[in-house]
């Protein structure tokens, strides 16, 4: 049986909530350039796939992905000057997520998980989650919990030690890993047909000042390709390592928060 909410009937959805107290995952991504070698929907695609894999482990249900995210910023996503990058204002993203979470809670879901795939979304998703809790409590619904995390919330030190050899200038950090080795490798492992390694740019790493500027100075700060860190050494092997680690991370967070084990889907941790 599918874990995707969009592929099951309301009867099956209601049964899983009632009998299994299923966790409902809400992936959130963005429509944002990821260089000339990867699609604009990379963040949404990966958030949805990580959610699907985690849901299969814990018997969860994955709601349809919220594919639009907060506006791309130069120092983390290359900025919104690239054709196709289509962002929401922050308050709109918060309200959209609030509406979705509050409706899921109103119709029976008590364990909700927001899985973020776009760096710039994080604080607006926090606001949307808090608004949803307030709305539900105003309706007399006070048994809903919301977990919110980025699927690559952290990387193990031993993984970073291994990856260091692939970064000639050193590991740049997750905020600069936009269209770089990690994202490209994950896409090569999961969706190789969506990656064109012949078009991986040879731009040097982005070198940003320690501040933001408005209007954005993307033309001066961001490499022409939009890629913030070279991705030439990406591989499906690296991608598998990262996917396994990140799915473990999400699964572990869900289990630690919502249940004592994947096998016992009805018992909340005291």
């Amino acid at each position: 049986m599918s874990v995707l909410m969009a592929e099951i009937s309301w009867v099956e959805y209601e049964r899983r909530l009632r009998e299994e107290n299923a966790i409902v995952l809400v992936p959130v991504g963005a429509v944002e350039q990821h260089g000339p070698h990867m699609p604009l929907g990379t963040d949404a695609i990966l958030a949805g796939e990580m959610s699907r894999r985690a849901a299969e482990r814990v018997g969860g249900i994955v709601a349809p992905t919220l594919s639009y995210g907060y506006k791309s910023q130069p120092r983390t996503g290359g900025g919104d000057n690239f054709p196709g990058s289509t962002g929401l204002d922050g308050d709109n993203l918060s309200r959209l997520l609030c509406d979705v979470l509050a409706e899921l809670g109103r119709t029976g879901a008590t364990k909700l998980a927001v899985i973020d795939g776009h760096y710039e979304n994080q604080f607006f998703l926090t606001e949307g989650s808090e608004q949803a809790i307030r709305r539900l409590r105003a309706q007399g619904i006070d048994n809903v919990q919301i977990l919110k995390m980025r699927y690559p919330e952290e990387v193990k030190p031993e993984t970073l030690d291994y990856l260091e050899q692939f970064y000639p200038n050193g590991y740049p950090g997750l905020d600069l890993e936009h269209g770089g080795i990690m994202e490209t490798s994950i896409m090569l492992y999961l969706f190789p047909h969506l990656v064109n390694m012949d078009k991986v740019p040879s731009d040097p790493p982005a070198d940003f000042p320690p501040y933001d500027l408005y209007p954005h100075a993307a033309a001066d700060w961001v490499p022409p390709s939009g890629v913030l860190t070279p991705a030439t050494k990406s591989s499906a092997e690296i991608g598998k390592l990262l996917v396994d680690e990140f799915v473990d991370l999400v699964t572990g967070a869900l289990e630690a928060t919502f249940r004592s084990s994947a096998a016992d889907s009805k018992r909340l941790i005291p």
Side-chain angles (χ1 to χ4, degrees):
M1 187 71 71
S2 176
V3 299
L4 301 182
M5 183 178 177
E7 294 183 356
I8 62 177
S9 71
W10 75 266
V11 177
E12 173 62 16
Y13 176 75
E14 190 274 340
R15 183 196 68 76
R16 292 193 197 178
L17 293 184
R18 174 171 41 83
E19 296 182 4
E20 303 171 8
N21 204 2
I23 303 167
V24 179
L25 291 77
V26 181
V28 188
V31 179
E32 177 190 43
Q33 68 81 25
H34 278 73
H37 63 296
M38 288 200 296
L40 288 154
T42 293
D43 288 344
I45 291 168
L46 293 183
E49 180 63 11
M50 298 296 181
S51 297
R52 184 188 68 78
R53 288 174 176 244
E56 287 182 342
R57 293 191 185 182
V58 301
I61 299 170
V62 183
T65 300
L66 304 185
S67 294
Y68 290 95
Y70 183 62
K71 296 184 290 286
S72 179
Q73 301 298 299
R75 292 199 294 153
T76 50
D80 58 6
N81 291 334
F82 292 86
S85 291
T86 309
L88 300 177
D89 286 344
D91 57 344
N92 288 335
L93 176 58
S94 295
R95 289 171 183 170
L96 173 62
L97 180 67
C98 173
D99 283 350
V100 170
L101 294 175
E103 282 295 281
L104 291 171
R106 182 184 66 82
T107 56
T110 61
K111 303 173 183 178
L112 300 171
V114 179
I115 308 301
D116 184 18
H118 177 60
Y119 189 88
E120 289 91 332
N121 284 343
Q122 51 187 315
F123 296 113
F124 302 105
L125 300 185
T126 297
E127 179 66 16
S129 299
E130 291 182 341
Q131 287 178 5
I133 291 293
R134 289 198 295 270
R135 184 185 299 181
L136 288 166
R137 286 178 175 170
Q139 296 172 357
I141 302 170
D142 60 3
N143 63 338
V144 174
Q145 283 185 300
I146 302 171
L147 176 150
K148 189 212 76 167
M149 67 183 298
R150 290 181 296 156
Y151 73 78
E153 191 73 37
E154 60 185 20
V155 185
K156 294 178 181 177
E158 56 267 32
T159 301
L160 291 179
D161 289 343
Y162 169 73
L163 292 176
E164 193 73 31
Q165 63 185 302
F166 302 108
Y167 292 95
N169 300 288
Y171 175 63
L174 283 174
D175 52 344
L176 282 181
E177 242 297 340
H178 180 76
I181 289 175
M182 294 177 72
E183 279 190 312
T184 302
S185 293
I186 291 173
M187 286 292 285
L188 280 172
Y189 174 58
L190 295 175
F191 305 103
H193 62 289
L194 296 179
V195 183
N196 187 341
M197 289 301 290
D198 292 336
K199 293 187 177 180
V200 171
S202 56
D203 297 332
D207 183 18
F208 293 116
Y211 55 84
D212 294 308
L213 182 66
Y214 304 94
H216 290 318
D220 299 322
W221 291 1
V222 180
S225 66
V227 174
L228 304 186
T229 263
T232 52
K233 295 187 178 181
S234 304
S235 71
E237 290 73 24
I238 296 173
K240 182 181 186 309
L241 172 69
L242 294 170
V243 168
D244 290 346
E245 180 168 327
F246 293 151
V247 174
D248 283 346
L249 181 68
V250 174
T251 302
L254 297 175
E255 291 180 341
T257 301
F258 293 127
R259 60 185 52 151
S260 59
S261 71
D264 184 3
S265 60
K266 295 184 180 179
R267 178 173 167 238
L268 285 171
I269 298 176

